[in-house]
Amino acid sequence: MMQTLIVCEKPDAAARVARALDEDGDPRRIETQGVPVYESRNRHETIIVCSALGHLYAVDSKTHTSRRYYPVWDFEWKPKHLIDKKSARLGRWIQIISSLAEKADRYINACDYDVEGSLIGHTILRYACRGADSKAQRMKFSTMTEKELKSAYKTLAPQLDIQLVEAGRTRHELDWLYGINLSRLLTESALKQNRGYSTLSTGRVQGPTLKFVVDKEEEIQCFTPTPFWTIDATLTQNGQEYTLEYEKEKISTLAEAELVVRDCKNCILEVESTESRNIQQSPPYPFDLSTLQSEAYRHFGYTPSRTLALAEKLYLEALISYPRTSSQKLPPDIGYSEILHGIASMAQYRTLATKLTLQNSLHPNQGPKDDPAHPAVYPTGESPKRALIQPEANLLNLIIKRFMSAFAEPSLRESSKLTLKKDPHRFFLRGTRLLREGWIQFYRPYASDESQNLPDLKVGDKTPITKIQATPKFTEPPPRYNPSSLLRKMEEENIGTKATRAEIIEILYRRSYIKNIRIEATPLALKLINLLNKYCPLIIDPAFTANLETAMDNIQTLQITRSHVIAETLDHLRPIMLDLIAREDEIGSQLAEAVVSQRIARLTFDYPCPQCGSKLKIIRSRTSGKRFIGCTGYQNGCRFTLPLPQFGNLSITQTNCKICGFQLVQARTKGRRPMTSCARCYSNKTRANATEFPTAAAPSAAQQATDKLVEATSLVKDQ
Amino acid sequence: METEQATADLCPVHARVLDSVKKAYEAWAKAYGSLRLPDFLQRVAKLQGTGRTTREIVEFLQKNPEKWK
């Protein structure tokens, strides 16, 4: 009997594919050395479904094995477990896949259908399956439903998508060349100053992204407010108060503002005109990944990386389609009606989904963005087989409602404006009323349906102003980026990919280049960007990175070759590296200084010790290894301590507790929502109650006496 | 590459901020009709929206009023 080997991207995906392709829907699970493999059978063949764990192969130096050597120009693809100690278990996966490949007659790449998935499958088939990439077939699907998987298996592409593979290879090789060379240079040059180790990194996408934050930070730090005035006026009609809008939004001089108030105080306003128009608002476009991330941040506060992780989980459970998509289009072949019937089978959507199924025809409102590989994110209509955790349920609800609203009719809103005069001044009253709900009823509570009624006034009517004053205000600095708006900026500037942008932002947090949800650049980031701007500005130029992105897109469309792009990169990077190496000492001394001062600042609270007024610091106990807050006035007899969370990277935020005023501490753990808490309130609470989450009990005075105030970076790194 | 001129007392960034503080003073003086420089500096220093670098320049000017010219 013929034997087929299918390579999937993740174990969960392998399980689903195996179940879909097995005649009885019950494949045999064989686990060898912790590596799960599935055996599915049908009348004609045995199908072995194995999986990767993301990338099993990665780029590494061909000749230099030292992780500290630079510059490096020669590279090759190697098993990841030989490059990174943390990936040691991947060796077993490669070994098992290799042994399975020996018995196979046919090979299929069933990894996610995008650049990364194509590359993951390709490297496995090429290196672990000894050149099977040349004869392998490609299984393409956008959802993990049984129906689609079966259909994808029946309609296999005869060969691998080589253009996607080439584009993926180039991206990894370019990122490696830039990342390894620049990051090693930065880290090593700072290390050579003998002031402690700190990983400093930059890269093709990381550098320009950090520059966006640093530019914004500089704009905020260099901001000087200027005064202006607004006119706040109201009128009362039938016992209801209405806020008037003065014709000038901002008045730049006090004299003019006072003149308006003087002229209009206790005056009678006459209605000069009334305007009313109906505005039709089309339904929102179906979700592409970045809009989904942005909307999830807006409504639930989920960071882009968290949204992606949740969406991938929902995808692997066949609840939604593939989330890493740029498309805002829903092609008819996804089966609108079937999906809506599926949604209607869930009690909470029954009424709304049924309304749509009763429509004569179904036409979604589609957006302009497209993706050749996948449609927009949509629900499959399948009900969850387990109780979803709240964030998963929230995201699924958002996706289902967005999908339904795309098929609904436009909403109709009446917008009205009354113009009232007291010559030479004009005031406006604006109102809005929903005439037809349309898609809004399907997208509640994520769409606003607020109405603002207007008083019953006609042209020529007169009404007194009840209150008027000039309010002094000052211009504000530009708003900071948050993870969602930074991701949007990356997308606008065309740097990174839909799949990598969220991870890049996470790296910036991990490297302590940025902090807080309203993103602030740290002094280290300011120094780094300042140095890169001085010595190699092109590296952090978004336009340069965007050009490389375009070059990689052109590889996919066969307009340019991988070797051409790599050769150009080497020509560009070599002189930059040689120049930087010549200035290594200068760069290193400046970076080391920034690293040391950041290390101290990261561990020191602005809030003084409530007992003695000295500085409070994060300290790790030498005896227990636990972290706690201690007072630097310890030598003078102060014994003030507070407990701290014992997991994640800790950072001291600039936000103060609303209850006690103490500075909040944030614990960040990869893939989890950052936890912000007040150590002081927690301490007070735990004294009253039993402990709820793992924190270190503050050490006794005797124990603290044996602990030294250690201020190494490792203090706040617990991963 | 763009180059910026540092002054004898200030780095390029602070020199640039000094210029923008001078421009802001003009806007403030026009807004209020008239305003003494020390009052302007005192008020800017107290505002929440004032940036850190601007605050440093304001403090520098409060200590060294002769640098205004």
Side-chain angles (χ1 to χ4, degrees), chain A residues 393-409:
Chain A
N394 285 344
L395 201 69
L396 182 61
N397 184 46
L398 180 68
I399 293 168
I400 289 177
K401 292 201 163 177
R402 183 77 163 212
F403 177 78
M404 289 197 294
S405 65
F407 292 93
E409 59 178 349

Side-chain angles (χ1 to χ4, degrees), chain A residues 147-148 330-336 338-339 375 378:
Chain A
K147 188 183 160 197
E148 184 160 350
L330 292 171
D333 61 10
I334 65 168
Y336 305 146
E338 201 178 329
I339 294 171
Y378 64 89

Side-chain angles (χ1 to χ4, degrees), chain A residues 246-264:
Chain A
Y246 186 62
E247 59 186 323
K248 277 189 190 171
E249 198 185 338
K250 290 177 178 179
I251 296 177
S252 57
T253 68
L254 176 62
E256 190 187 345
E258 283 176 344
L259 180 71
V260 175
V261 174
R262 234 182 1 253
D263 281 357
C264 301

Side-chain angles (χ1 to χ4, degrees), chain A residues 217-218 220-227 229 252-255 472 474-477 520-521 523 526 533-537, chain B residues 1 13 16-17 20-21 23-25 27-33 40 43-44 47-55 58:
Chain A
E217 189 68 41
E218 282 179 350
I220 292 168
Q221 298 312 343
C222 296
F223 185 79
T224 313
T226 49
W229 287 261
S252 57
T253 68
L254 176 62
F474 294 91
T475 51
E476 293 279 340
E520 277 177 57
L526 294 170
N533 203 24
K534 192 171 168 188
Y535 299 122
C536 49
Chain B
M1 198 194 303
V13 176
R16 191 160 20 104
V17 173
S20 75
V21 170
K23 276 187 195 135
Y25 177 58
W28 277 66
K30 195 179 160 204
Y32 287 106
F40 162 71
R43 293 192 66 179
V44 168
L47 286 173
Q48 213 180 8
T50 302
R52 196 174 46 227
T53 318
T54 306
R55 216 176 283 276
V58 166

Side-chain angles (χ1 to χ4, degrees), chain A residues 74-86:
Chain A
D74 55 343
F75 55 85
E76 63 181 350
W77 285 80
K78 284 184 189 169
K80 216 171 165 187
H81 66 277
L82 300 181
I83 304 169
D84 181 10
K85 278 183 196 164
K86 284 183 200 159

Side-chain angles (χ1 to χ4, degrees), chain A residues 68 70 187-196 584-585 588:
Chain A
R68 297 177 63 177
Y70 61 93
T187 305
E188 289 297 318
S189 63
L191 187 63
K192 280 175 190 163
Q193 303 297 315
N194 293 322
R195 298 181 76 178
E584 203 175 18
D585 201 42

Side-chain angles (χ1 to χ4, degrees), chain A residues 652-703:
Chain A
I652 302 168
T653 69
Q654 291 304 309
T655 318
N656 293 68
C657 174
K658 282 177 185 158
I659 299 165
C660 72
F662 193 72
Q663 250 175 300
L664 299 179
V665 175
Q666 192 177 63
R668 292 185 73 88
T669 311
K670 197 182 174 188
R672 282 190 183 182
R673 192 177 186 174
M675 191 193 79
T676 308
S677 57
C678 173
R680 203 173 174 195
C681 287
Y682 179 75
S683 168
N684 293 339
K685 198 174 145 194
T686 42
R687 264 181 219 148
N689 295 310
T691 51
E692 274 180 302
F693 68 95
T695 55
S700 65
Q703 190 187 339

